[in-house]
Amino acid sequence: MTEILVIDVGNSNVKYALFKNGKLTRTWRHATASIKESAADIVRQSSSPVAISSVVPEAEAHLRELLSGRKIVEINALSQTMLSGMDETMGADRVADAVAAWKIHGKGKRSVAVVGTGTATTILAITRNGHVLGGWIAPGLAVTLEVLHDRCALLPLLEMKGQSLELGYDTDTHMRNGVFAGHIGLVREWLALARKALGGRPLTVGTGGWSKTIQEHGGVFDVVDPELTLKGIYLIARDILRRENRQNGTRRRSQRTRSPI
């Protein structure tokens, strides 16, 4: 299979990537809330098989309607075979992140701690032999600001922008900078605990919408790869399609060699 369209349906955004002969050639994205207005024009850009990683069932259902008649590969913990120890309830995006971090950046032989920074902040620790030890989930940066507003009557609803590690001078900067500094501290502590669990010196990989900003101010990752999830979806889908092709080839050879009744 030379071409695969991969789709990552996240809580905030839907991201698309077209892979040709193993190379990412084009990307698109839009807000998950606007999937009914935006998805159709994008999926028409290719007639190739489609691999879907989704954590939003309603948005995924709409995509499947648009893709009726197309070959669809579903990405989840059970469909991947490259890592062991993956709990079947693991979110598809985290499955893809883990596979890509270990396979691409760890070269399939180095332990890896991969941190996703989106609507939620997540981490998974993977041994050098490709076994998932475990991880954590916490509210992401923007979500933490929203919770402060929802639970504290006088605190405003803010966007995370212009944040720094300096002390704040008013309520807005207290909130933004406090949440930001606290989040970098959370990631540092997570990585320290993951290193202890994995032993040696695991590679630390950051991905997701906030990974570059956290790295710029905190310097906590060895590698930052914002498109890690898309790459992981591709790797898993390619592996699934290859296995299916081998099985189909074996079945056809068996049918040709079977003696007539």
Side-chain angles (χ1 to χ4, degrees):
M1 185 59 60
T2 59
E3 184 173 298
I4 301 174
L5 176 66
V6 308
I7 307 176
D8 173 29
V9 184
N11 290 295
S12 300
N13 295 289
V14 180
K15 291 171 282 187
Y16 307 75
L18 184 64
F19 285 83
K20 293 184 179 182
N21 298 320
K23 294 183 178 181
L24 195 162
T25 59
R26 292 191 67 183
T27 60
W28 304 262
R29 68 183 293 153
H30 59 73
T32 304
S34 67
I35 192 166
K36 291 184 178 180
E37 297 79 28
S38 304
D41 288 340
I42 297 173
V43 299
R44 292 193 193 107
Q45 301 292 320
S46 168
S47 58
S48 66
V50 180
I52 300 178
S53 160
S54 175
V55 295
V56 186
E58 184 178 350
E60 180 184 356
H62 178 71
L63 274 174
R64 287 180 177 272
E65 287 182 13
L66 290 176
L67 295 167
S68 178
R70 296 267 290 271
K71 170 68 176 178
I72 297 176
V73 180
E74 184 175 353
I75 305 300
N76 55 49
L78 298 176
S79 68
Q80 70 82 31
T81 59
M82 284 173 268
L83 300 177
S84 62
M86 186 80 75
D87 186 84
E88 65 181 31
T89 64
M90 194 76 66
D93 53 346
R94 300 182 74 200
V95 173
D97 286 347
V99 167
W102 180 74
K103 191 76 173 176
I104 296 173
H105 297 295
K107 308 298 182 184
K109 58 184 179 181
R110 183 174 177 182
S111 59
V112 173
V114 57
V115 176
T117 59
T119 306
T121 298
T122 66
I123 188 172
L124 281 174
I126 303 107
T127 69
R128 61 188 300 272
N129 296 319
H131 182 75
V132 179
L133 284 185
W136 295 289
I137 300 176
L141 281 160
V143 171
T144 304
L145 278 179
E146 291 172 8
V147 170
L148 282 172
H149 166 71
D150 290 341
R151 299 297 296 271
C152 302
L154 294 181
L155 292 184
L157 178 60
L158 302 175
E159 294 181 7
M160 185 61 78
K161 60 181 181 180
Q163 65 281 338
S164 74
L165 296 181
E166 297 178 358
L167 291 171
Y169 56 87
D170 60 7
T171 296
D172 287 11
T173 55
H174 287 182
M175 292 172 64
R176 286 194 181 99
N177 294 2
V179 167
F180 187 55
H183 215 77
I184 291 176
L186 177 147
V187 171
R188 280 204 181 105
E189 180 65 12
W190 276 8
L191 290 174
L193 292 170
R195 290 187 187 102
K196 184 176 180 180
L198 289 166
R201 186 160 186 326
L203 189 75
T204 59
V205 181
T207 190
W210 289 104
S211 56
K212 286 185 176 180
T213 302
I214 289 173
Q215 177 70 354
E216 180 183 342
H217 289 82
V220 293
F221 303 121
D222 295 316
V223 177
V224 174
D225 188 344
E227 294 172 334
L228 188 73
T229 310
L230 296 170
K231 294 173 183 176
I233 297 169
Y234 169 74
L235 289 175
I236 297 168
R238 185 183 65 178
D239 183 59
I240 292 170
L241 291 170
R242 284 176 174 175
R243 281 187 276 126
E244 289 181 353
N245 287 338
R246 285 196 295 268
Q247 291 169 359
N248 290 337
T250 300
R251 190 176 299 114
R252 286 193 295 270
R253 287 193 295 272
S254 176
Q255 289 172 347
R256 287 197 299 268
T257 57
R258 189 178 302 149
S259 299
I261 295 175

